[in-house]
Amino acid sequence: MKLQQLRYIWEVSKNNLNVSATAENIYTSQPGISKQIRILEDELGIPIFTRNGKHLTDMTPAGEKIIAIAGQMLMQAENIKNIAKEYRDESKGSLSIATTHTQARYALPPIIKEFMQAKPNVSLDIQQGTPIQISEMVAQGKVDIAIATEAIELFDNLIMLPCYSWDRCILVPKGHELSKLSSLSLNDVARYPLITYVFGFTGRSKLDDAFREESLNPDVALTAVDADVIKTYVRLGLGVGIVARMAYDKNIDQDLVAIDAGHLFGKSITKIGIRKDTFLRGYMYDFIKLFAPHLSSEIINKAMELKEQTAINSLFDDINLPHY
């Protein structure tokens, strides 16, 4: 049994059992992957995949268990490499981050700038996606950390570290009726077409829950993953925008009015997600602390040791998270 064979079955399972796509993604040949899978199955004496002719159609029950263990072994092999790199030269390496547009556009830029100035020999890769995609990427070991508000808790091989809490605001053009109210209610907001995030993005579920609890069924006229797109359509008068407060820039968005909506939708918490079996290099700790100063290496290590999320959450009971 070879590590390369385990990598092949793992990658095939993550590419919808498409051997050709797998070969293209990992820069090898389709016949080579198929041959190595057959050799591994012959060695084990059981099939890992079911087939229809030459095509893989599913994973066998035994194959599912084998592939799950293969993923863990590949992660540990990567950890061995990272340990060697750490002791060989802790100032060099790479850091991959999966996050949403809101985090990448509004929360991360000053952090990235400071980190790159402090760690010039560390290359950064930022990938954007939906919270589910982001969480899957880190759960599968394709990136080092995930930064998101939703979906991280759906993956039980991840730990969640709370970073900061944030509120929403209502965006309207200057002179809009909502901007003239002394206090704002959900009923007031629900009278207008809404422009907000796609479901699953940037705490959208809290928004939906708030309206549902008041038995309101607002007209969500347009959704987008990008707060800048939402602002564009608010400017066109197509509806009232609901975005993360951090997405409003008083210098750039002078033609819009931001009305506080924290009392309407409650606070959301942005978290960092890390695989429980990840080996964190020194500069990874540094990046996390830049993004969330209360996340010291000591508290991160304690969280990694605890592993159970309920126990991890208790570490932060007495910590006041930064609020944006």
Side-chain angles (χ1 to χ4, degrees):
M1 184 186 304
K2 300 177 181 177
L3 198 62
Q4 188 73 298
Q5 293 170 332
L6 300 181
R7 184 187 179 207
Y8 286 163
I9 62 173
W10 172 256
E11 292 292 344
V12 166
S13 74
K14 299 306 172 187
N15 280 279
N16 298 316
L17 307 186
N18 187 322
V19 178
S20 296
T22 302
E24 185 175 343
N25 289 342
I26 62 176
Y27 306 104
T28 190
S29 69
Q30 181 269 333
I33 292 178
S34 297
K35 179 181 178 181
Q36 289 302 317
I37 291 175
R38 285 290 193 186
I39 291 172
L40 178 59
E41 290 178 320
D42 289 343
E43 180 183 344
L44 296 175
I46 56 172
I48 296 171
F49 300 100
T50 58
R51 294 169 171 82
N52 182 6
K54 294 183 179 181
H55 299 288
L56 305 182
T57 57
D58 204 349
M59 293 177 282
T60 64
E64 288 184 3
K65 295 178 180 180
I66 291 168
I67 288 168
I69 295 172
Q72 296 169 14
M73 293 175 67
L74 291 168
M75 176 58 72
Q76 293 301 334
E78 191 64 27
N79 284 341
I80 291 172
K81 293 178 184 178
N82 287 333
I83 290 170
K85 289 176 184 176
E86 184 72 16
Y87 283 89
R88 191 165 62 240
D89 189 346
E90 63 181 26
S91 68
K92 292 183 179 180
S94 62
L95 174 60
S96 53
I97 303 163
T99 190
T100 62
H101 170 268
T102 297
Q103 302 297 331
R105 171 67 176 82
Y106 300 104
L108 280 172
I111 308 301
I112 295 295
K113 180 179 180 181
E114 185 173 350
F115 181 79
M116 291 182 68
Q117 289 173 341
K119 308 288 181 182
N121 294 321
V122 176
S123 61
L124 279 171
D125 175 42
I126 300 177
Q127 300 190 38
Q128 294 182 52
T130 69
I132 287 288
Q133 290 170 337
I134 290 162
S135 300
E136 284 179 343
M137 280 189 265
V138 71
Q140 295 173 9
K142 294 181 179 179
V143 296
D144 298 309
I145 62 175
I147 301 175
T149 300
E150 303 202 39
I152 293 177
E153 67 277 1
L154 301 178
F155 295 80
D156 58 10
N157 66 336
L158 303 180
I159 65 167
M160 297 178 289
L161 305 174
C163 299
Y164 63 86
S165 62
W166 54 272
D167 287 328
R168 295 156 187 76
C169 67
I170 306 293
L171 290 181
V172 294
K174 283 187 175 180
H176 192 280
E177 289 298 318
L178 288 183
S179 67
K180 301 173 184 178
L181 298 178
S182 57
S183 63
L184 192 67
S185 70
L186 282 175
N187 272 303
D188 296 323
V189 178
R191 289 166 44 213
Y192 297 90
L194 302 185
I195 305 174
T196 190
Y197 299 107
V198 173
F199 185 81
F201 269 80
T202 317
R204 166 68 190 273
S205 60
K206 278 221 168 189
L207 186 152
D208 294 334
D209 290 344
F211 283 115
R212 190 179 302 112
E213 287 172 9
E214 294 293 323
S215 298
L216 295 171
N217 187 24
D219 172 20
V220 181
L222 191 152
T223 60
V225 301
D226 185 329
D228 292 333
V229 171
I230 293 171
K231 288 188 280 188
T232 295
Y233 289 102
V234 171
R235 289 185 170 100
L236 291 175
L238 299 183
V240 168
I242 306 177
V243 298
R245 180 80 196 198
M246 72 184 81
Y248 175 77
D249 187 314
K250 63 182 180 180
N251 295 317
I252 297 173
D253 302 320
Q254 294 182 23
D255 56 330
L256 298 176
V257 177
I259 308 168
D260 179 61
H263 63 294
L264 300 181
F265 305 113
K267 296 176 182 177
S268 290
I269 296 177
T270 291
K271 312 172 196 77
I272 281 178
I274 310 171
R275 273 183 65 123
K276 293 176 180 178
D277 54 1
T278 295
F279 173 77
L280 292 174
R281 298 190 63 188
Y283 58 77
M284 296 178 182
Y285 286 107
D286 294 338
F287 176 86
I288 293 171
K289 190 167 184 180
L290 273 177
F291 188 70
H294 59 282
L295 294 179
S296 63
S297 56
E298 291 78 16
I299 200 167
I300 294 171
N301 288 339
K302 182 64 175 176
M304 300 283 275
E305 291 169 5
L306 290 173
K307 295 187 182 296
E308 292 298 327
Q309 193 59 48
T310 52
I312 293 167
N313 292 342
S314 67
L315 293 175
F316 302 94
D317 287 344
D318 299 324
I319 294 177
N320 292 320
L321 298 178
H323 182 70
Y324 298 101

XYZ file of all heavy atoms in Angstrom, residues 228-289:
492
model
N -21.191 44.978 -2.451
C -21.080 46.085 -3.407
C -22.162 46.000 -4.475
O -22.672 47.022 -4.941
C -19.690 46.070 -4.070
C -18.586 46.404 -3.085
O -18.868 47.120 -2.112
O -17.455 45.937 -3.277
N -22.534 44.789 -4.856
C -23.630 44.609 -5.814
C -24.946 45.036 -5.175
O -25.772 45.714 -5.797
C -23.705 43.134 -6.276
C -24.967 42.896 -7.103
C -22.465 42.778 -7.087
N -25.142 44.653 -3.915
C -26.353 45.062 -3.201
C -26.464 46.583 -3.173
O -27.529 47.149 -3.456
C -26.346 44.486 -1.771
C -26.474 42.956 -1.822
C -27.479 45.083 -0.921
C -26.253 42.267 -0.492
N -25.371 47.251 -2.872
C -25.390 48.724 -2.816
C -25.705 49.336 -4.183
O -26.405 50.345 -4.277
C -24.042 49.240 -2.290
C -23.849 48.977 -0.803
C -22.603 49.651 -0.256
C -21.350 48.889 -0.558
N -20.167 49.450 0.141
N -25.216 48.717 -5.232
C -25.480 49.224 -6.584
C -26.977 49.255 -6.870
O -27.508 50.246 -7.394
C -24.771 48.341 -7.641
O -23.354 48.458 -7.468
C -25.152 48.770 -9.051
N -27.677 48.187 -6.493
C -29.106 48.120 -6.792
C -29.948 48.946 -5.823
O -31.043 49.386 -6.181
C -29.548 46.657 -6.842
C -29.006 45.973 -8.070
C -27.904 45.127 -7.989
C -29.551 46.228 -9.325
C -27.371 44.539 -9.129
C -29.032 45.638 -10.459
C -27.944 44.793 -10.370
O -27.413 44.225 -11.497
N -29.428 49.181 -4.636
C -30.089 50.138 -3.741
C -30.021 51.533 -4.363
O -31.003 52.287 -4.347
C -29.436 50.133 -2.342
C -29.976 51.286 -1.489
C -29.696 48.802 -1.641
N -28.884 51.853 -4.936
C -28.722 53.168 -5.578
C -29.689 53.342 -6.751
O -30.106 54.461 -7.058
C -27.282 53.335 -6.065
C -26.268 53.510 -4.955
C -24.868 53.790 -5.511
N -23.960 54.180 -4.446
C -23.079 53.367 -3.869
N -22.994 52.093 -4.275
N -22.301 53.797 -2.898
N -30.029 52.228 -7.385
C -30.969 52.295 -8.506
C -32.426 52.387 -8.046
O -33.331 52.480 -8.875
C -30.793 51.065 -9.401
C -29.477 50.980 -10.193
C -29.389 49.652 -10.922
C -29.356 52.140 -11.170
N -32.627 52.346 -6.744
C -33.975 52.477 -6.211
C -34.800 51.212 -6.300
O -36.036 51.277 -6.241
N -34.139 50.049 -6.415
C -34.881 48.803 -6.586
C -35.296 48.161 -5.265
O -36.028 47.171 -5.259
C -34.047 47.812 -7.396
C -33.689 48.268 -8.820
C -32.920 47.180 -9.541
C -34.944 48.642 -9.602
N -34.841 48.719 -4.160
C -35.226 48.166 -2.876
C -34.358 48.685 -1.753
O -33.465 49.523 -1.950
N -34.632 48.178 -0.553
C -33.893 48.531 0.658
C -32.820 47.471 0.885
O -33.115 46.268 0.847
C -34.861 48.597 1.861
C -34.090 48.663 3.172
C -35.789 49.794 1.723
N -31.612 47.893 1.119
C -30.515 46.950 1.316
C -30.348 46.557 2.767
O -30.556 47.368 3.669
N -29.977 45.303 2.995
C -29.606 44.838 4.333
C -28.250 44.164 4.205
O -28.115 43.135 3.537
C -30.636 43.853 4.913
C -32.046 44.453 4.902
C -30.242 43.477 6.349
C -33.127 43.508 5.405
N -27.233 44.771 4.820
C -25.863 44.278 4.691
C -25.171 44.296 6.047
O -25.668 44.878 7.019
C -25.044 45.138 3.693
C -25.644 45.091 2.301
C -24.921 46.576 4.184
N -24.015 43.668 6.106
C -23.176 43.764 7.298
C -22.758 45.219 7.476
O -22.432 45.908 6.506
C -21.947 42.873 7.150
N -22.778 45.684 8.710
C -22.438 47.081 8.990
C -21.066 47.444 8.426
O -20.854 48.558 7.939
C -22.472 47.319 10.503
C -22.127 48.742 10.920
C -23.301 49.662 10.743
N -22.900 51.061 10.762
C -23.743 52.070 10.962
N -25.021 51.821 11.151
N -23.331 53.305 10.954
N -20.126 46.503 8.487
C -18.763 46.783 8.016
C -18.714 47.066 6.517
O -17.742 47.625 6.014
C -17.845 45.607 8.351
C -18.071 44.369 7.510
S -17.067 42.951 7.993
C -18.009 42.340 9.379
N -19.772 46.676 5.787
C -19.785 46.882 4.333
C -20.146 48.311 3.948
O -20.066 48.669 2.773
C -20.766 45.913 3.680
N -20.546 49.127 4.923
C -20.860 50.533 4.631
C -19.631 51.382 4.897
O -19.067 51.373 5.988
C -22.016 51.015 5.507
C -22.315 52.491 5.342
C -23.004 52.956 4.221
C -21.902 53.416 6.293
C -23.270 54.310 4.056
C -22.164 54.767 6.140
C -22.846 55.208 5.019
O -23.103 56.548 4.860
N -19.206 52.110 3.883
C -18.054 53.002 3.980
C -18.554 54.433 3.873
O -19.054 54.846 2.824
C -17.058 52.695 2.855
C -15.751 53.461 2.997
O -15.798 54.679 3.255
O -14.681 52.847 2.823
N -18.444 55.184 4.951
C -19.009 56.538 4.981
C -18.363 57.469 3.964
O -18.962 58.477 3.576
C -18.897 57.135 6.377
C -17.478 57.324 6.889
C -17.489 57.880 8.304
C -16.071 58.070 8.834
N -16.082 58.609 10.224
N -17.162 57.150 3.507
C -16.509 57.991 2.493
C -16.957 57.607 1.086
O -17.269 58.468 0.268
C -14.986 57.866 2.618
C -14.467 58.408 3.933
O -14.900 59.464 4.394
N -13.550 57.684 4.559
N -16.995 56.316 0.810
C -17.365 55.850 -0.525
C -18.876 55.888 -0.736
O -19.357 56.173 -1.838
C -16.840 54.408 -0.748
C -15.305 54.394 -0.698
C -17.339 53.833 -2.072
C -14.704 53.015 -0.747
N -19.625 55.621 0.328
C -21.084 55.482 0.211
C -21.832 56.716 0.720
O -22.862 56.606 1.381
C -21.537 54.234 0.987
C -20.861 52.968 0.494
O -20.704 52.829 -0.730
O -20.491 52.128 1.331
N -21.317 57.889 0.396
C -21.924 59.125 0.892
C -23.341 59.352 0.365
O -24.116 60.105 0.966
C -21.048 60.329 0.518
C -19.695 60.325 1.202
C -18.862 61.547 0.859
O -19.393 62.597 0.475
N -17.554 61.442 0.995
N -23.683 58.713 -0.749
C -25.026 58.885 -1.310
C -26.049 57.955 -0.656
O -27.244 58.028 -0.969
C -24.999 58.620 -2.816
C -24.442 57.235 -3.154
O -23.598 56.731 -2.393
O -24.861 56.670 -4.177
N -25.581 57.110 0.245
C -26.477 56.185 0.933
C -26.530 56.505 2.426
O -25.574 57.049 2.983
C -26.010 54.739 0.750
C -25.977 54.191 -0.685
C -25.405 52.777 -0.683
C -27.358 54.219 -1.319
N -27.645 56.137 3.039
C -27.800 56.287 4.488
C -27.797 54.901 5.108
O -28.527 54.007 4.657
C -29.115 57.011 4.836
C -29.293 57.102 6.347
C -29.150 58.400 4.208
N -26.958 54.718 6.124
C -26.907 53.453 6.847
C -27.669 53.611 8.157
O -27.330 54.456 8.984
C -25.466 53.045 7.118
N -28.703 52.807 8.329
C -29.532 52.854 9.533
C -29.232 51.615 10.356
O -29.323 50.482 9.856
C -31.030 52.884 9.176
C -31.321 54.003 8.163
C -31.884 53.049 10.420
C -32.700 53.913 7.534
N -28.866 51.807 11.611
C -28.514 50.678 12.459
C -29.669 49.683 12.553
O -30.824 50.066 12.762
C -28.147 51.165 13.860
C -27.798 50.006 14.779
O -26.831 49.287 14.475
O -28.515 49.803 15.787
N -29.347 48.395 12.392
C -30.368 47.350 12.471
C -29.977 46.259 13.460
O -30.542 45.170 13.439
C -30.601 46.740 11.088
N -29.045 46.580 14.348
C -28.606 45.589 15.325
C -29.735 45.118 16.214
O -29.806 43.949 16.596
N -30.651 46.051 16.552
C -31.765 45.700 17.439
C -32.821 44.857 16.724
O -33.670 44.237 17.369
C -32.409 46.970 17.991
C -33.026 47.850 16.943
N -32.281 48.491 15.976
C -34.325 48.181 16.699
C -33.081 49.186 15.191
N -34.331 49.015 15.604
N -32.773 44.827 15.396
C -33.768 44.065 14.634
C -33.336 42.617 14.400
O -34.162 41.704 14.438
C -34.014 44.733 13.276
C -34.534 46.166 13.289
C -34.736 46.662 11.864
C -35.833 46.267 14.080
N -32.069 42.423 14.138
C -31.607 41.096 13.720
C -30.626 40.429 14.688
O -30.268 39.274 14.496
C -30.969 41.191 12.335
C -31.871 41.797 11.299
C -31.585 43.026 10.740
C -33.015 41.142 10.899
C -32.422 43.593 9.785
C -33.858 41.689 9.947
C -33.562 42.915 9.389
N -30.187 41.154 15.695
C -29.248 40.574 16.647
C -27.839 40.493 16.090
O -27.585 40.793 14.921
N -26.930 40.087 16.926
C -25.525 39.998 16.539
C -25.218 38.643 15.897
O -25.818 37.637 16.232
C -24.634 40.191 17.764
C -24.751 41.562 18.409
C -23.912 41.638 19.676
C -24.074 43.004 20.343
N -23.317 43.083 21.613
N -24.267 38.665 14.991
C -23.725 37.431 14.425
C -22.254 37.348 14.798
O -21.620 38.374 15.099
C -23.892 37.407 12.902
O -25.250 37.250 12.554
N -21.717 36.141 14.780
C -20.311 35.947 15.162
C -19.553 35.301 14.006
O -19.952 34.252 13.493
C -20.196 35.069 16.416
C -20.839 35.783 17.609
C -18.729 34.747 16.719
C -20.849 34.960 18.884
N -18.500 35.951 13.596
C -17.606 35.392 12.581
C -16.592 34.491 13.275
O -16.058 34.836 14.326
C -16.897 36.515 11.810
O -17.863 37.192 10.998
C -15.799 35.964 10.918
N -16.335 33.337 12.668
C -15.466 32.334 13.288
C -14.357 31.912 12.331
O -14.501 32.006 11.107
C -16.272 31.098 13.694
C -17.548 31.404 14.466
C -18.369 30.148 14.658
C -19.800 30.474 15.062
N -20.615 30.934 13.920
N -13.300 31.426 12.916
C -12.247 30.740 12.163
C -12.455 29.246 12.357
O -12.658 28.782 13.488
C -10.848 31.156 12.634
C -10.469 32.525 12.044
C -9.793 30.119 12.259
C -9.125 33.041 12.485
N -12.427 28.499 11.260
C -12.553 27.044 11.324
C -11.226 26.392 10.962
O -10.583 26.778 9.977
N -10.808 25.428 11.784
C -9.547 24.708 11.576
C -9.812 23.217 11.751
O -10.570 22.818 12.644
C -8.469 25.138 12.591
C -8.326 26.658 12.653
C -7.122 24.482 12.265
C -7.438 27.129 13.780
N -9.193 22.409 10.924
C -9.313 20.955 11.124
C -8.682 20.565 12.453
O -7.639 21.087 12.847
C -8.606 20.206 10.003
C -9.470 19.965 8.790
C -8.730 19.166 7.749
N -8.424 17.819 8.211
C -8.801 16.711 7.574
N -9.499 16.806 6.456
N -8.479 15.529 8.033
N -9.318 19.626 13.130
C -8.838 19.205 14.446
C -7.441 18.589 14.399
O -6.717 18.628 15.393
C -9.832 18.210 15.056
C -11.179 18.824 15.394
C -12.155 17.782 15.902
C -13.500 18.408 16.223
N -14.500 17.402 16.673
N -7.081 18.009 13.255
C -5.784 17.333 13.163
C -4.737 18.160 12.422
O -3.700 17.645 12.009
C -5.936 15.966 12.488
C -6.638 16.062 11.126
O -6.976 17.189 10.707
O -6.845 15.013 10.488
N -4.981 19.447 12.256
C -4.035 20.308 11.539
C -2.838 20.663 12.414
O -2.990 20.960 13.602
C -4.723 21.611 11.091
O -5.737 21.297 10.145
C -3.727 22.573 10.438
N -1.653 20.636 11.826
C -0.464 21.169 12.487
C -0.329 22.632 12.075
O -0.173 22.947 10.892
C 0.798 20.400 12.081
C 2.064 21.021 12.608
C 2.429 20.862 13.934
C 2.867 21.803 11.775
C 3.590 21.452 14.420
C 4.028 22.395 12.258
C 4.386 22.218 13.585
N -0.436 23.519 13.051
C -0.356 24.951 12.773
C 1.088 25.418 12.882
O 1.739 25.238 13.919
C -1.227 25.742 13.766
C -2.739 25.539 13.641
C -3.457 26.260 14.776
C -3.242 26.048 12.297
N 1.565 26.018 11.819
C 2.909 26.584 11.835
C 2.891 27.935 12.555
O 1.835 28.547 12.751
C 3.440 26.728 10.413
C 3.561 25.379 9.706
C 4.294 25.494 8.400
N 5.671 25.936 8.584
C 6.496 26.262 7.587
N 6.073 26.202 6.333
N 7.725 26.651 7.830
N 4.067 28.395 12.948
C 4.161 29.613 13.750
C 3.481 30.802 13.121
O 2.767 31.576 13.786
N 3.661 30.986 11.811
C 3.068 32.154 11.163
C 1.547 32.042 11.047
O 0.862 33.053 10.894
C 3.705 32.398 9.783
C 3.609 31.251 8.807
C 2.431 30.963 8.136
C 4.716 30.457 8.538
C 2.341 29.915 7.236
C 4.649 29.402 7.634
C 3.457 29.141 6.995
O 3.369 28.098 6.105
N 1.027 30.789 11.131
C -0.430 30.634 11.131
C -1.022 31.164 12.432
O -2.062 31.826 12.441
C -0.805 29.171 10.920
C -0.389 28.624 9.559
S -0.813 26.862 9.385
C -0.148 26.531 7.746
N -0.350 30.854 13.545
C -0.762 31.442 14.821
C -0.728 32.969 14.738
O -1.630 33.654 15.246
C 0.170 30.989 15.948
C -0.004 29.563 16.405
C 0.939 28.591 16.075
C -1.080 29.189 17.199
C 0.804 27.281 16.515
C -1.226 27.880 17.642
C -0.279 26.930 17.295
O -0.426 25.640 17.729
N 0.325 33.495 14.123
C 0.475 34.951 14.021
C -0.667 35.569 13.230
O -1.200 36.627 13.609
C 1.813 35.298 13.356
C 3.011 34.903 14.199
O 2.841 34.765 15.429
O 4.109 34.728 13.635
N -1.042 34.913 12.142
C -2.140 35.445 11.329
C -3.446 35.446 12.121
O -4.195 36.438 12.119
C -2.321 34.632 10.052
C -3.491 35.095 9.231
C -3.351 36.132 8.329
C -4.750 34.527 9.401
C -4.439 36.595 7.594
C -5.841 34.974 8.680
C -5.689 36.019 7.775
N -3.724 34.342 12.793
C -4.973 34.235 13.556
C -5.023 35.315 14.636
O -6.062 35.957 14.849
C -5.118 32.834 14.167
C -5.311 31.792 13.051
C -6.289 32.776 15.143
C -5.247 30.355 13.534
N -3.897 35.554 15.310
C -3.892 36.570 16.369
C -4.057 37.971 15.797
O -4.666 38.839 16.429
C -2.612 36.473 17.193
C -2.677 37.339 18.450
C -1.572 37.036 19.426
C -1.772 37.861 20.694
N -0.715 37.602 21.698
